[in-house]
Structure formats: C-alpha cells, structure tokens
Amino acid sequence: MSRIAIASIAALLMVGHASAAEPINLRDMGSFHVGGRLVEISGKPVKEVVFTPGGVPAKVDPNGTYQVEQMYVQYFLPANEKGAYPLLMWHGGGLTGVTYETTPDGREGWLNYFLRKGWPVYNSDAVERGRAGWAQYPDIFKSEPVFLTTANPFERFRIGDGPNSYDPDPAKRKLLPGNQFPVEGYENFVKQSVPRWTTTDDATIAAYIAEIDRVGPSVILFHSQAGSFGFKVAQARPDKVKALIAIEPAGLGDPAKADVLKNIPTLIIYGDYIAQDSRWPKIRANGVAFADAIKAAGGSVDIVDLPQAGIKGNSHMVMMDKNNLEVAALIQKWLEGKGLTK
C-alpha cells in the first residue's frame, strides 16, 4: 500500500454543512475489491443488444466465466494515526458503506469522526451491494432480491411508532416520542436503500475474511445484519480481530464456538424503544444470551443499553441519529479503555 502524502483534502472530507471543523489530513486513501470467485454459466441463448439508443446492435453471448461475490473496500489513512489497529466498518442489510458517511441530514458521520480520532478506517460495500456489484439470479444468487418500500424502514427501524406510522406526507408521520433519527432527511435515507439477497451470507463472510486477511489485525465495527458476519469472521480469524463493536446486531456467531471469542474484547450497543417493539426484545435477548456464552467461556463483553446510559431516543440507525457523535464518543472511550489507541 502506497504512502502518498495528501496535504489538502478539506473540500472532500469536511463536514457536509459549512462549519469550523478542522480539515481531515490523510497520508493515503484509496480502494480495492477483495474476495469473490469465478463461475461458469452455460446453456443460455445468445442475445442481440443495442447498448446505446441509435447504436449498432451487438451480439452478447451470456455463456462463459463470470467474476462474482467480490466486495468493495474504501480506505482512509490519517496522517496522525492514533488507533492501534485499522477500524473496519461493516453495514447492515439492504444498505452500503454510505451508512457511516455523511448523515441523511448532512451532519458528520462515524467515518469522519473516527478519522478525526486517528483511526485508519476501511469502509465497505459488502457482497451484492453498491460498488461490489451483482450477479445473475437464480443462476448464481439463489433467490430473488428483496426490495424495501419507503415505509418499511420508518416502521421497522424504530423511527416511527410501529405499523402504519408512515405517511407520504411528512407532517402526518407518527414518530416515536423523542426519537433522534433526523426525519427531515428521511427521504435521503431511503435513497441509500439497495436490493439485498437472503442467500449470499456464506459469500459475504468469505469476502470479509479476505478483507481482514489483507488488511491484517483490526477492530471491527458492524451493524444489524452484519452481526452474524462480524462474530463469525472473528470466530474464523480470532488472531486477527482485536475488538468487536456490535451496533444492534440482528445476527450472531456460532454459539458452539463462543469460547473462540474469549480473548476479543466486545462491545454491544442497543438503542431506545426496544421494549415496545414487536421484534427487538427477542433480537436483544438472543444477543445477550450469546454475550453470556462468551463470558461463560472467560471472555469480556460489555453491553450498553443507551437509554440506561443516559443517551435517549436512538433508532436502529444509531450512527445516523442526531446524537450519533455522542454514541461515537462512548465507543471511542471504550476503545481507549481497552488499550486500543496509541
């Protein structure tokens, strides 16, 4: 990896709003694809395709070898590193690495926050998301993609007050009392949504393992669906994972291998309104049970329920909420307490 000095990128990485924030100084930035495999497809008819209106038709033979199931990673390396290890950011279901970038209402996201704290940050679009690319289905991805309506995240991510709380008219939407999600930017959040598959978990885990094999010992911060990816990758590469930060994990690792995580300090964070939700009490209970299994094996797991810590109103999208930097500061303090900063 090159160590190009990047003297001035203020226009690229300043906070979205005009502010007095200091520029972020990097020694390098870039991207790469990692993981994936080659797949052979045969028995398909040759098609004639006009790629550009008014263009000359071209014959396209869909039979042959395809590169699939790779992952896209973008990295930012601060000039003054203070994190002892790189920080890998893994997004949740139906989303991409945009999750950690500028918030839907234009505030600073966690990517910038942790860069300012001196962490080398690697932000990814997982298999079948964003710049990672898609593959044919059902030939390669063994199911159809799942798409979300504009109402679905509002009602399911503990932004609105449950079913039927969304309305096309923003003035008629029923918010949870005191909710911290920036509802004025909700339409921008919906624009981040991308198709997701339910049959690509193994490929995603393989790509994340390839990422940590390439980057080396790292801290992993992961959200929602990526709960199972973060814990399972740590179980596959326990020597390379120095800490786990699970933000409302919707999936978990293998309980039979909980002891493999005993030497990896783990932080699990849950937001607000969980008790009144139809799904999240069970999801949280599963997470606590998994944490208990790690602790029973001699491991260290800290569970933080934000309301009990005095941080109230958080939706499922904690990193986008109006108090996102307060939660980020809690994570930073935990990392410092575990001796993971220089």
Side-chain angles (χ1 to χ4, degrees):
M1 184 179 297
S2 64
R3 295 185 177 262
I4 302 169
I6 301 179
S8 178
I9 59 163
L12 178 64
L13 286 173
M14 284 291 287
V15 179
H17 293 305
S19 72
E22 290 295 322
I24 296 174
N25 294 316
L26 303 183
R27 63 176 173 83
D28 196 10
M29 63 182 293
S31 63
F32 56 86
H33 283 81
V34 68
R37 63 191 178 100
L38 297 175
V39 176
E40 194 78 17
I41 288 182
S42 61
K44 300 285 186 178
V46 175
K47 299 179 180 180
E48 193 170 76
V49 178
V50 178
F51 288 103
T52 305
V56 178
K59 292 187 182 297
V60 176
D61 185 351
N63 302 291
T65 304
Y66 291 83
Q67 172 67 53
V68 301
E69 297 176 352
Q70 62 279 349
M71 184 176 74
Y72 173 83
V73 181
Q74 189 173 33
Y75 60 87
F76 305 86
L77 309 181
N80 183 18
E81 286 192 10
K82 297 179 181 178
Y85 301 97
L87 178 63
L88 312 185
M89 292 184 166
W90 297 356
H91 60 76
L95 297 167
T96 69
V98 174
T99 290
Y100 298 105
E101 298 175 11
T102 307
T103 65
D105 60 332
R107 290 172 294 108
E108 187 164 54
W110 281 6
L111 192 159
N112 281 24
Y113 175 88
F114 285 102
L115 273 176
R116 292 185 188 283
K117 293 296 183 181
W119 291 91
V121 176
Y122 289 69
N123 192 30
S124 58
D125 291 356
V127 172
E128 46 110 307
R129 311 289 173 84
R131 286 175 283 183
W134 294 351
Q136 297 180 51
Y137 61 91
D139 306 86
I140 298 170
F141 293 163
K142 301 302 180 184
S143 67
E144 293 184 353
V146 176
F147 295 81
L148 298 182
T149 66
T150 55
N152 184 287
F154 190 88
E155 298 176 355
R156 190 164 58 90
F157 288 178
R158 306 196 316 278
I159 300 169
D161 194 4
N164 303 313
S165 60
Y166 178 82
D167 192 282
D169 181 353
K172 296 180 180 178
R173 295 172 189 170
K174 300 174 183 176
L175 291 169
L176 285 164
N179 191 278
Q180 293 275 5
F181 187 87
V183 290
E184 63 273 26
Y186 183 73
E187 277 65 31
N188 288 331
F189 173 57
V190 173
K191 291 174 184 178
Q192 299 177 18
S193 179
V194 296
R196 63 169 288 187
W197 278 258
T198 59
T199 53
T200 58
D201 282 14
D202 289 346
T204 302
I205 290 170
Y208 278 135
I209 289 173
E211 179 191 11
I212 202 165
D213 282 347
R214 173 167 175 163
V215 175
S218 303
V219 173
I220 309 176
L221 186 156
F222 49 92
H223 175 238
S224 195
Q225 180 205 16
S228 62
F229 305 148
F231 287 118
K232 288 180 179 178
V233 169
Q235 288 173 326
R237 295 289 189 273
D239 57 321
K240 293 183 178 178
V241 178
K242 299 304 178 181
L244 294 170
I245 303 163
I247 309 299
E248 294 213 344
L252 303 163
D254 183 350
K257 299 179 180 177
D259 63 305
V260 176
L261 304 176
K262 66 182 180 181
N263 295 321
I264 303 174
T266 299
L267 173 65
I268 304 178
I269 293 177
Y270 293 102
D272 213 335
Y273 313 107
I274 284 178
Q276 65 200 72
D277 190 81
S278 62
R279 299 169 62 246
W280 272 97
K282 178 61 176 176
I283 296 172
R284 183 187 176 283
N286 290 341
V288 171
F290 187 67
D292 287 342
I294 298 173
K295 289 190 282 189
S300 170
V301 183
D302 296 304
I303 298 177
V304 175
D305 289 286
L306 293 176
Q308 295 181 14
I311 303 175
K312 299 181 179 180
N314 285 99
S315 71
H316 181 50
M317 303 306 300
V318 178
M319 68 294 297
M320 298 180 184
D321 290 335
K322 291 182 179 179
N323 59 359
N324 68 333
L325 298 187
E326 188 176 3
V327 181
L330 183 153
I331 294 170
Q332 174 68 16
K333 184 176 180 180
W334 181 85
L335 288 165
E336 291 171 356
K338 296 300 180 182
L340 293 168
T341 54
K342 298 177 181 178

